[in-house]
Amino acid sequence: MTSDPNSRRQFLAFLAGSPLLAAAGLDTEWLHTLTGRRGDALLDVADRAVTAGTHPVLQPPLIANATDALDVFDFEAVARQNIPVAHWGYLMTGTDDDGTIAANRAGFERWTLKPRRLIDVSRVDGSVSLFGARYPSPIVVNPLGSQKAFHKDGEIATAKAARAKDHLMVLSTVATTSIEDVIAARGGPVWFQLYHQSDWSITKQMVQRVERAGAPAIAFTVDLLGGSNRETMIREARRDTRDCKKCHLGGAPLPGVSGRVDDRDNRRKPNLVGYEKRPPQLEKGTPTWEFVDRLKQATGMKVLLKGIVTEDDAALAVEHGVDGLFVSNHGGRAENSRRATIVSLPEVVKGTGGRIPVICDGGFRRGTDVFKAMALGATSVGIGRPYIWGLGAFGQEGVEAVLAIMRREFELTMKQSGATTLSQITARHIAPA
Ligand SMILES: Cc1cc2nc3c(=O)[nH]c(=O)nc-3n(C[C@H](O)[C@H](O)[C@H](O)COP(=O)(O)O)c2cc1C
């Protein structure tokens, strides 16, 4: 195969539409099945996989133990084998043609590293302080819903891994484990991610509950307020021969509006139940900055916004007294912007004027990715799918291994670059590709 990326892409495009595939008894569905992507996203994935030599056709056998993994991708293949296909679709879906997932990864290619030499790097310290709590690594275990869909131990396994490796964990509103149980398993505070409810009285009770449970911060997710169109999730669910209605009262996922299964059944969502029936205070429309003000007034916890991608919104967030931001496009599952979060990061940092912490997530898979975000002004970075690959593959042990691999890679990049603390990583360590 040619080493020129454009020619390779053309070749893959040709392959995807080629009668040769049909002649070989294969079709584009085959490429789709191998890569989990369609259209341009399929070509992006195939192109990058061939470049990296990790195209599934070229892959070595599945790893049998978490300790055999060389990188986080080694867990993906094992998890894919273990997780039911509909749940795999929920995990891996983006929106429309999944183009923003590919964009998140491709964004890192826009930057190269400029290592400095002859600095004593025998000791590096990758620790970060967030609202007074210090963690040995800036890699955050991001909120990700329904983790018992990927492994029977779900969020408990994740929390125990976060405890073992001492990482900050953020729990999703739609977790399959309660905030109280997760804080107990983590053996210390975790942050809570908030999806607002249509009734403010319920939202407020939820916020008060997580504060009582000991969460020091709450991250209000603002990137799904317009809904999202998750086609891969629906396609994969259709390939699942099990009866969705056995667990999800409403049945299989619905197109368009929310990206969620038509669940309306909170039996497995303990953070959504147990609230007093008070006179409802229904939201008028979807939340605006007025909601953010209300949220700030309702709690003593730090309030962060998750899903900010522009300088203007970052500046508004500071004006409204927000305590921190996640630069996020929900791992390519919100709007199909095709704009990588690593591309949005510098303008968000600029909008904050450096006054509040900025956590960037979306497509982080390598220590070099983490390094580039730190060089562009991030305080920390968040990971989603990689630790779920670890969870789906080997439970708690898999999550621990993913965290250890990413930390090891990041600290190696620090050493190679001549930066021994996070504050020493600056824009002078990277250059546009
Ligand atoms: C299956 C899945 C479920 C998610 N659930 C939530 C959620 O409940 N709340 C939230 O704010 N973000 C959620 N996210 C987004 C993640 O917090 C994070 O922004 C994203 O996964 C980062 O991208 P990455 O998966 O490429 O690392 C979810 C992501 C995935 C893949």
Side-chain angles (χ1 to χ4, degrees):
M1 170 131 349
T2 168
S3 61
D4 166 51
N6 288 332
S7 315
R8 219 175 23 242
R9 174 179 280 275
Q10 279 165 12
F11 172 71
L12 287 164
F14 161 74
L15 193 63
S18 167
L20 284 175
L21 287 181
L26 301 166
D27 59 14
T28 50
E29 206 51 37
W30 169 76
L31 275 174
H32 168 64
T33 307
L34 286 176
T35 62
R37 300 286 181 279
R38 288 179 189 280
D40 281 354
L42 182 153
L43 295 176
D44 273 332
V45 168
D47 187 29
R48 281 181 289 110
V50 170
T51 309
T54 56
H55 191 282
V57 170
L58 310 174
Q59 267 180 5
L62 298 184
I63 54 168
N65 303 295
T67 47
D68 292 339
L70 296 180
D71 57 36
V72 301
F73 298 104
D74 278 336
F75 296 96
E76 181 179 4
V78 182
R80 183 171 195 163
Q81 197 184 49
N82 292 353
I83 295 173
V85 65
H87 296 179
W88 183 255
Y90 165 64
L91 176 65
M92 298 306 280
T93 195
T95 50
D96 300 352
D97 61 359
D98 297 344
T100 305
I101 296 181
N104 276 344
R105 287 294 300 138
F108 295 108
E109 302 302 325
R110 293 196 185 194
W111 297 99
T112 55
L113 303 181
K114 285 175 62 185
R116 297 294 308 277
R117 311 296 189 201
L118 291 168
I119 294 165
D120 178 2
V121 291
S122 53
R123 294 167 70 91
V124 290
D125 174 8
S127 69
V128 66
S129 176
L130 284 162
F131 305 131
R134 186 157 278 280
Y135 300 91
S137 162
I139 299 169
V140 175
V141 178
N142 249 46
L144 202 142
S146 303
Q147 293 187 16
K148 286 186 186 161
F150 309 119
H151 187 276
K152 64 178 176 41
D153 299 336
E155 293 85 359
I156 293 291
T158 301
K160 287 182 175 170
R163 175 184 200 156
K165 298 293 174 192
D166 199 11
H167 283 246
L168 170 61
M169 173 177 176
V170 188
L171 183 72
S172 164
T173 293
V174 292
T176 35
T177 311
S178 70
I179 180 75
E180 293 83 3
D181 289 350
V182 165
I183 286 179
R186 173 64 180 83
V190 304
W191 295 5
F192 187 76
Q193 173 273 329
L194 178 72
Y195 284 133
H196 80 288
Q197 304 301 297
S198 52
D199 180 353
W200 169 249
S201 138
I202 302 290
T203 309
K204 195 170 166 192
Q205 289 183 62
M206 193 188 300
V207 169
Q208 289 167 341
R209 168 186 174 178
V210 301
E211 189 164 7
R212 266 197 315 274
I218 193 162
F220 173 44
T221 298
V222 295
D223 53 18
L224 288 187
L225 299 176
S228 71
N229 181 40
R230 298 182 181 171
E231 294 180 12
T232 293
M233 177 174 80
I234 295 173
R235 283 206 181 85
E236 296 299 284
R238 286 178 183 164
R239 297 201 302 125
D240 201 317
T241 49
R242 300 166 312 147
D243 179 7
C244 295
K245 283 198 169 144
K246 281 207 167 135
C247 300
H248 305 282
L249 293 183
L254 291 174
V257 285
S258 70
R260 293 199 298 267
V261 287
D262 184 12
D263 206 332
R264 292 184 210 130
D265 164 19
N266 294 330
R267 283 174 306 176
R268 290 177 309 280
K269 307 277 166 58
N271 299 308
L272 291 174
V273 294
Y275 301 108
E276 279 174 31
K277 280 207 168 25
R278 295 183 187 160
Q281 295 172 264
L282 298 179
E283 296 293 340
K284 298 186 187 78
T286 56
T288 63
W289 291 102
E290 178 277 324
F291 182 94
V292 175
D293 297 338
R294 221 187 313 152
L295 193 57
K296 279 284 297 174
Q297 279 158 18
T299 179
M301 290 183 288
K302 300 288 182 192
V303 173
L304 296 93
L305 298 182
K306 180 167 178 286
I308 296 296
V309 289
T310 60
E311 180 180 348
D312 291 346
D313 280 345
L316 276 169
V318 173
E319 264 176 46
H320 284 264
V322 167
D323 299 290
L325 297 177
F326 282 79
V327 179
S328 178
N329 54 28
H330 221 104
R333 301 156 76 82
E335 67 286 322
N336 195 16
S337 65
R338 290 181 133 76
R339 188 164 191 247
T341 48
I342 193 79
V343 172
S344 307
L345 173 64
E347 72 167 90
V348 173
V349 171
K350 188 167 170 229
T352 65
R355 281 166 286 185
I356 55 176
V358 174
I359 301 166
C360 185
D361 73 64
F364 287 83
R365 306 291 180 262
R366 288 283 186 188
T368 48
D369 304 335
V370 181
F371 188 89
K372 288 172 188 178
M374 305 308 288
L376 290 168
T379 313
S380 288
V381 309
I383 57 168
R385 293 178 185 91
Y387 80 84
I388 298 295
W389 297 336
L391 177 70
F394 301 107
Q396 177 187 340
E397 205 192 335
V399 181
E400 282 187 37
V402 164
L403 295 173
I405 287 170
M406 287 196 68
R407 179 170 168 188
R408 186 192 70 213
E409 287 184 359
F410 173 56
E411 290 180 359
L412 181 62
T413 312
M414 286 178 72
K415 285 187 175 186
Q416 292 165 337
S417 301
T420 59
T421 62
L422 296 190
S423 61
Q424 287 177 13
I425 306 174
T426 71
R428 293 180 64 77
H429 284 105
I430 56 171

